[in-house]
């Protein structure tokens, strides 16, 4: 069974109450916290040794990644992160120096984003090391961006570059909190999510939520240098285009805006974030599904992104 199907089965009939504004299926849950004009955002994420990081990975970067993944999801809603709880699965025997380095990396990122690490829990005898982070954030109601809301004719954008993140970016990526705050302050985004499983897996989730389709322009996809180097050196057989679509762990923002905003947005972005690429990669269509246009040929996309259940 695919991960999406399993999640759908497990979350069917999940209890709700009057505080819950948006349940499973978006980047974060949205809660009414009785603060005028604000929604509360709630997210949990985990990194597991052997799945999300190799046993010899720099522990400081592993701790950093565990929190950064949550911050990326809060950014994807247009929000500001505020607090986190950390659950640590302890292998036995625990390596104290390694665990301290892990927390140092996590705390450094938390300080950078003014996130309070407000508590946590340890689980002994977990077999392998894992870190689970639950994070809170908040967002002005009018700036909260969901996956649903993309409309036919919208321009589709992605920040940064895609593919090849296994070469290092999957541990060192910067969650796009500042960029998302900037975007929602200036433009009416119709839909947004962060890319964790690869464009070919994640974009269909946004399209399904919005009840629309998309046409991608292959030449416009921002192929990462890492994906090109890995292909040329023989480290992977995936062409950079395929890597950009399917590698996953890009942690970039994918969003849709009215086509009239596309050019003003690109111009303002270059001023605000000269170091970070922003690419218009396609447009939203009324028909369902996703097509990719490569020069003159148009083909239906049949690529699958990184799926944690089918990989293993
Ligand atoms: Mg996400």
């Amino acid at each position: 069974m695919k991960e999406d199907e399993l999640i759908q089965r497990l979350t069917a009939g999940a209890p709700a109450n009057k505080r819950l504004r948006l349940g499973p299926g978006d980047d974060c849950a949205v809660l009414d916290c009785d603060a005028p004009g604000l929604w509360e955002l709630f997210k949990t994420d985990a990194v597991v040794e052997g799945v999300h990081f190799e046993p010899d990975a720099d522990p400081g970067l592993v701790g950093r990644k565990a929190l950064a993944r949550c911050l990326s999801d809060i950014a994807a809603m247009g929000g500001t992160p505020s607090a986190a709880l950390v659950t640590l699965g302890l292998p036995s025997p625990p390596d104290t120096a390694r665990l301290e380095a892990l927390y140092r990396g996590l705390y450094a990122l938390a300080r950078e984003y003014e996130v309070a690490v407000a508590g946590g829990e340890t689980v002994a005898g977990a077999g392998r090391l894992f870190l689970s982070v639950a994070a809170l954030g908040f967002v002005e109601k009018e700036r909260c961006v969901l996956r649903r809301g993309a409309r036919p004719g919208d321009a589709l954008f992605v920040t940064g570059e895609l593919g090849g993140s296994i070469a290092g970016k999957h541990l060192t990526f910067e969650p796009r909190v500042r960029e998302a705050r900037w975007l929602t302050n200036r433009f009416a985004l119709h839909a947004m999510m962060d890319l964790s499983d690869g464009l070919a897996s994640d974009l269909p989730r946004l399209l399904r939520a919005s009840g629309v389709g998309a046409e991608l322009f292959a030449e416009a996809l921002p192929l990462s240098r890492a994906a090109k180097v890995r292909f040329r050196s023989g480290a992977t057989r995936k062409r950079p285009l395929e890597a950009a679509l399917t590698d996953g762990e890009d942690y970039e923002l994918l969003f849709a805006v009215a086509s009239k905003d596309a050019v003003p947005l690109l111009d303002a972005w270059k001023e605000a974030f000269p170091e970070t690429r922003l690419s218009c990669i396609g447009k939203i269509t009324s028909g369902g599904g996703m097509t990719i246009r490569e020069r003159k040929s148009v083909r239906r996309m049949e690529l699958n992104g990184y799926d944690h259940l089918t990989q293993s």
Side-chain angles (χ1 to χ4, degrees):
M1 187 183 294
K2 291 271 192 142
E3 193 171 356
D4 280 1
E5 283 172 61
L6 178 63
I7 290 168
Q8 245 169 30
R9 276 210 204 184
L10 299 179
T11 56
N17 59 25
K18 64 181 172 49
R19 298 262 177 204
L20 185 72
R21 290 306 164 120
L22 183 67
D26 215 302
D27 292 284
C28 296
V30 179
L31 300 163
D32 188 343
C33 54
D34 277 341
L38 293 179
W39 296 127
E40 192 159 46
L41 302 172
F42 199 13
K43 175 68 197 181
T44 187
D45 216 345
V47 293
V48 180
E49 185 175 89
V51 180
H52 303 96
F53 62 92
E54 293 308 312
D56 61 355
D58 177 337
L61 293 180
V62 171
R64 184 187 185 282
K65 176 176 183 172
L67 177 61
R69 280 164 58 107
C70 279
L71 302 192
S72 181
D73 280 311
I74 288 171
M77 309 294 284
T80 303
S82 56
L85 298 173
V86 181
T87 298
L88 170 69
L90 284 169
S92 44
D95 175 343
T96 309
R98 185 185 183 207
L99 296 174
E100 282 176 337
L102 196 120
Y103 273 72
R104 271 198 302 277
L106 192 153
Y107 288 167
L109 187 73
R111 277 189 205 97
E112 193 187 325
Y113 285 88
E114 297 181 60
V115 171
V117 178
E121 156 80 341
T122 53
V123 183
R128 44 173 140 166
L129 181 65
F130 74 83
L131 261 184
S132 170
V133 176
L136 284 175
F138 56 91
V139 61
E140 299 82 351
K141 288 178 181 177
E142 70 281 5
R143 287 171 68 177
C144 183
V145 189
L146 310 182
R147 291 182 180 184
R148 60 180 185 235
R151 302 167 204 170
D154 280 357
L156 200 54
F157 282 91
V158 71
T159 61
E161 297 177 346
L162 306 180
S165 81
I166 191 71
K169 186 186 168 187
H170 77 107
L171 286 172
T172 59
F173 69 92
E174 198 63 49
R176 299 288 188 197
V177 175
R178 295 177 196 97
E179 292 86 348
R181 294 294 295 163
W182 180 91
L183 284 164
T184 61
N185 191 30
R186 282 162 186 80
F187 295 93
L189 306 190
H190 291 170
M192 182 157 64
M193 69 185 298
D194 71 326
L195 293 174
S196 51
D197 296 342
L199 188 63
S201 296
D202 289 328
L203 175 57
R205 294 173 180 144
L206 186 146
L207 300 177
R208 273 197 298 276
S210 297
V212 294
E215 185 179 84
L216 295 181
F217 317 133
E219 284 77 19
L221 290 179
L223 311 180
S224 75
R225 202 182 113 75
K228 294 174 191 168
V229 168
R230 282 172 51 76
F231 180 67
R232 274 202 303 264
S233 69
T236 178
R237 294 170 79 170
K238 278 189 193 176
R239 290 190 302 135
L241 174 64
E242 191 191 349
L245 290 166
T246 64
D247 275 358
E249 301 226 72
D250 297 305
Y251 302 106
E252 296 293 350
L253 296 172
L254 172 72
F255 60 91
V257 292
S259 60
K260 70 170 173 59
D261 288 334
V263 172
L265 197 160
L266 276 167
D267 287 345
W269 176 276
K270 273 181 215 149
E271 293 268 313
F273 303 103
E275 312 278 288
T276 307
R277 281 174 78 173
L278 178 69
S279 309
C280 180
I281 60 166
K283 62 180 180 191
I284 299 292
T285 59
S286 54
M290 181 164 65
T291 56
I292 183 158
R293 187 181 285 274
E294 230 180 327
R295 293 202 176 84
K296 278 174 188 157
S297 72
V298 178
R299 59 184 163 108
R300 291 209 49 94
M301 194 113 79
E302 282 171 18
L303 295 163
N304 287 310
Y306 185 94
D307 186 298
H308 299 280
L309 294 188
T310 55
Q311 270 286 303
S312 52

